[in-house]
Amino acid sequence: MATIRQDPKTILRSSARNCSTARPPRGARAVRYAVPVASATIAVAGAIAVIGLADGATESDGLAALDPGFTADIVSDRTPALTVLALSLTFVGDVPVLVTLMLIAAFLLWRWTRGLRAPALLLFAMAGSAALTAGLKALVERKRPGVTFVLGPVDTGFAFPSGHTLNSTVFFVTLAALLWVGLRSYGARTALVVAAGLMSIGIGLSRVYLGYHWATDVLAGWTVAVTWLALVSLLAYFTRPREA
């Protein structure tokens, strides 16, 4: 029985044609669209929540009406150990410290990845965070708690949203997301996420504990951060390197 031999070039052309016309599985398409859809949904929901919090802060109603009593309760429960912890956490969220950490992290990301994409995303996320902090403070113009609540130097700037909370959340979550890609260990990834979450929560709570912000200022900081991070994730998704 005669064997029919095919030209190798013909086989390669046929395989390439079949691969190019084959559609990805439905599950793969669903996963591909899940990130942008989820990010867009979170961004819209977050924007609506921020508007509601800003309106409450301006009118002193809604959740903002609970701020004075909540702050008084927190201040009455201060202890020396908690004060040291709160001062340490709020120090990390100070602008000079956060800028220094950002520059160090951007440099190390560049060395680690041998590329500019990861450090550029971190710098872009932080620049947007700073702009949102300044813009919203100027727009809402909410006053901070009275000086009798403050434990430390008095800050005369506007309160809404908490800049420490917003900027530190964007920094630690963005850094964790960029590092996540290079980690293969489930334990390391879990520790990374937990550490980023604890830093965000701890710095936010320290601002209320020390009397620099109302609770809804901090809540707004987290909400704006999540909203902005959703938009940054969209940018990262659509600018990701394409597989060959």
Side-chain angles (χ1 to χ4, degrees), residues 1 21 53 75 89 102 124 137 147 159 174 225:
M1 183 173 179
T21 56
L53 288 169
V75 169
L89 287 169
M102 176 192 68
F124 175 77
K137 283 180 180 292
V147 294
T174 302

Side-chain angles (χ1 to χ4, degrees), residues 12-13 16 25 34 45 59 74 83 92 101 132 140 153 158 161 194:
L12 288 174
R13 283 196 296 269
E59 303 295 334
I74 292 295
T83 298
V92 176
L101 292 176
L132 286 169
V140 179
F158 293 123
V194 170

Side-chain angles (χ1 to χ4, degrees), residues 4 9 23 42 78 108 110 112 123 127 136 175 185 189-190 198 225 235-236 238:
I4 301 176
K9 292 183 179 179
R23 298 183 64 186
I42 292 172
R78 284 172 176 167
L108 293 178
W110 171 71
W112 185 38
L123 295 175
L136 288 171
L175 182 60
S185 167
R189 285 183 165 183
T190 301
L198 288 177
L235 174 66
F238 287 116

Side-chain angles (χ1 to χ4, degrees), residues 20 49-50 88 128 140 142-143 158 167 169 202 208 213 233 236 242:
S20 63
V50 171
S88 301
V140 179
R142 189 187 196 186
K143 293 183 178 180
F158 293 123
N167 295 322
T169 299
V208 180
H213 283 285
S233 71
R242 305 291 179 175

Side-chain angles (χ1 to χ4, degrees), residues 4-214:
I4 301 176
R5 300 184 61 185
Q6 294 185 2
D7 182 17
K9 292 183 179 179
T10 303
I11 296 175
L12 288 174
R13 283 196 296 269
S14 176
S15 299
R17 186 166 53 251
N18 291 336
C19 290
S20 63
T21 56
R23 298 183 64 186
R26 181 176 300 178
R29 294 199 302 273
V31 171
R32 183 176 64 186
Y33 293 123
V35 172
V37 170
S39 296
T41 302
I42 292 172
V44 172
I48 294 172
V50 171
I51 292 172
L53 288 169
D55 180 70
T58 303
E59 303 295 334
S60 297
D61 58 11
L63 290 176
L66 305 176
D67 279 334
F70 183 78
T71 299
D73 290 340
I74 292 295
V75 169
S76 65
D77 290 333
R78 284 172 176 167
T79 66
L82 285 177
T83 298
V84 171
L85 177 60
L87 289 171
S88 301
L89 287 169
T90 210
F91 173 77
V92 176
D94 285 346
V95 172
V97 177
L98 211 53
V99 169
T100 302
L101 292 176
M102 176 192 68
L103 294 176
I104 294 173
F107 175 75
L108 293 178
L109 285 170
W110 171 71
R111 291 293 302 271
W112 185 38
T113 63
R114 296 297 180 181
L116 294 176
R117 184 173 182 272
L121 280 172
L122 178 62
L123 295 175
F124 175 77
M126 292 305 295
S129 176
L132 286 169
T133 300
L136 288 171
K137 283 180 180 292
L139 182 65
V140 179
E141 296 184 342
R142 189 187 196 186
K143 293 183 178 180
R144 294 176 182 269
V147 294
T148 55
F149 290 118
V150 179
L151 191 61
V154 175
D155 190 335
T156 58
F158 293 123
F160 185 101
S162 166
H164 278 65
T165 305
L166 170 52
N167 295 322
S168 62
T169 299
V170 170
F171 173 73
F172 286 110
V173 173
T174 302
L175 182 60
L178 293 172
L179 293 176
W180 170 286
V181 179
L183 298 177
R184 295 293 177 264
S185 167
Y186 176 80
R189 285 183 165 183
T190 301
L192 189 66
V193 172
V194 170
L198 288 177
M199 289 303 297
S200 170
I201 294 171
I203 291 174
L205 293 179
S206 74
R207 302 306 286 168
V208 180
Y209 179 90
L210 295 174
Y212 285 106
H213 283 285
W214 304 109

